[in-house]
Amino acid sequence: MTIPEVTPPHSGAAPVSPWPALLEVLALPVMGVVLALLIAAALGVGLSNPLINLRPDALPDSWLPLAADLLQVLTLQYTGCFLLMVAILWPRRELTPKRLGLTSNGFAWSHLLAMGLLLACLLVPLQMALLGADAHWDLGETSPWRRALLDAPRSADFWLLMAVASFGLVPLLEEVFYRGFLQGRLQQVMSPAHAIVLISTLFTLSHSQYHQPSVINIATALFVFCSSLVFGWLYWKTGSIWPSVLLHGTVNVPWPSGSGAVALGAVLLTVALMTHRRWRPWLGELHEMLRLQALRRALLAPMLLTVLFGVGFTLAGAVIVPVAALMLVAGLLWRWRLRRHGGEG
């Protein structure tokens, strides 16, 4: 079981080996965290999640200190990831806005905006329905800090915290790294369907707050995976991260519950039904890609490696870190060797 090799667009070139890219992609998030920990230690600050001690029955008087602490943690965490990204892309002369999906890639900005908003009209009601079902039937335990945020009063400082933790900063950072950098790397050496599925799997496993077994966590993780497939398709289709940033941020907004959620969900679904001729071909294309390509036997081996690596980092990070370091070095050396011999890994 192997990933089918891809032939570069320039004729006469040797087939592309996808494995160096996969090793890089799996190792980079782990090594980014390690580098962030080293930076934090040098600065004398912590890198743990400041929300971890939140409890539904012990909410803080003000959310502002948590917002400031979380901003510091996210800045350090992604500084480590982005420094590695720069170190890899700079020698390859790939550190450009276009390579990372930071441009409109020739599309009208109104078109990119419309794609993100129309798809939000589909995904947001699904998330609201999931949260509503959990509130009504109690679908099991989730992380106490996540429960605290779901049930917290919507004060002004709470919205500031969520702008950092949920719908503002986080979607931008995650889309640049996971779609613009990691998926963009895989798309150089394998089919878009393979790249989208593998990055969606890695992205879902990175959300450790859903690793506790319960109906609500399993359902939320499934929603994250399906949403990530849409984010990945948007990036591949447009070559720009901005539609997925907008969609990702809209999905992450802490929408109201109760009767307000029902009313808002009804409005969004009405908009979705009225605009179905626009978005149905998009989802049809994504479905066709996944049905014909991504579910073939060739995906089993890289998917298994991705799942084992992601779960291993959650359960035994101390063991996975040296493995990730070896994988990153091996992937970079492998690619260098392939390039010397006329291939491009």
Side-chain angles (χ1 to χ4, degrees), residues 43-283:
L43 296 175
V45 298
L47 200 62
S48 60
N49 183 359
L51 303 177
I52 200 69
N53 294 321
L54 276 179
R55 295 293 182 272
D57 56 350
L59 300 180
D61 295 329
S62 172
W63 297 100
L64 294 180
L66 280 176
D69 291 344
L70 188 60
L71 178 60
Q72 175 180 277
V73 168
L74 288 172
T75 300
L76 288 171
Q77 177 184 338
Y78 278 92
T79 294
C81 292
F82 290 155
L83 284 176
L84 287 178
M85 180 181 76
V86 170
I88 290 174
L89 294 182
W90 184 274
R92 300 173 182 174
R93 299 181 180 178
E94 295 180 9
L95 189 63
T96 64
K98 183 177 177 65
R99 164 63 179 82
L100 296 174
L102 295 173
T103 70
S104 67
N105 198 34
F107 287 89
W109 287 103
S110 59
H111 178 74
L112 299 179
L113 178 69
M115 293 185 76
L117 290 179
L118 290 180
L119 290 171
C121 292
L122 293 174
L123 292 183
V124 170
L126 292 176
Q127 184 192 41
M128 296 170 72
L130 176 60
L131 295 177
D134 180 49
H136 186 74
W137 288 295
D138 187 9
L139 301 181
E141 294 297 324
T142 189
S143 301
W145 64 265
R146 181 170 180 264
R147 179 64 64 189
L149 292 177
L150 289 173
D151 298 339
R154 284 0 186 203
S155 59
D157 55 339
F158 172 81
W159 283 106
L160 180 60
L161 170 67
M162 298 310 290
V164 175
S166 182
F167 64 86
L169 179 63
V170 166
L172 176 60
L173 295 175
E174 289 185 340
E175 291 306 306
V176 171
F177 186 65
Y178 282 94
R179 248 61 63 175
F181 180 38
L182 298 184
Q183 184 178 317
R185 175 70 179 106
L186 290 186
Q187 285 179 186
Q188 294 175 336
V189 296
M190 62 178 64
S191 74
H194 285 133
I196 290 170
V197 171
L198 290 174
I199 293 302
S200 295
T201 302
L202 186 64
F203 180 75
T204 303
L205 291 173
S206 72
H207 289 70
S208 58
Q209 65 266 38
Y210 307 131
H211 290 185
Q212 179 182 352
S214 67
V215 174
I216 183 61
N217 283 343
I218 293 172
T220 304
L222 181 61
F223 176 79
V224 170
F225 178 74
C226 293
S227 298
S228 184
L229 293 176
V230 178
F231 301 159
W233 178 85
L234 275 171
Y235 170 68
W236 168 75
K237 185 68 174 179
T238 65
S240 172
I241 65 164
W242 297 115
S244 60
V245 168
L246 177 60
L247 176 57
H248 192 162
T250 306
V251 168
N252 279 8
V253 169
W255 295 105
S257 57
S259 58
V262 174
L264 180 59
V267 170
L268 293 176
L269 285 176
T270 300
V271 173
L273 290 174
M274 293 175 62
T275 58
H276 71 95
R277 292 185 179 180
R278 291 288 303 276
W279 53 260
R280 282 184 64 182
W282 302 340
L283 295 187

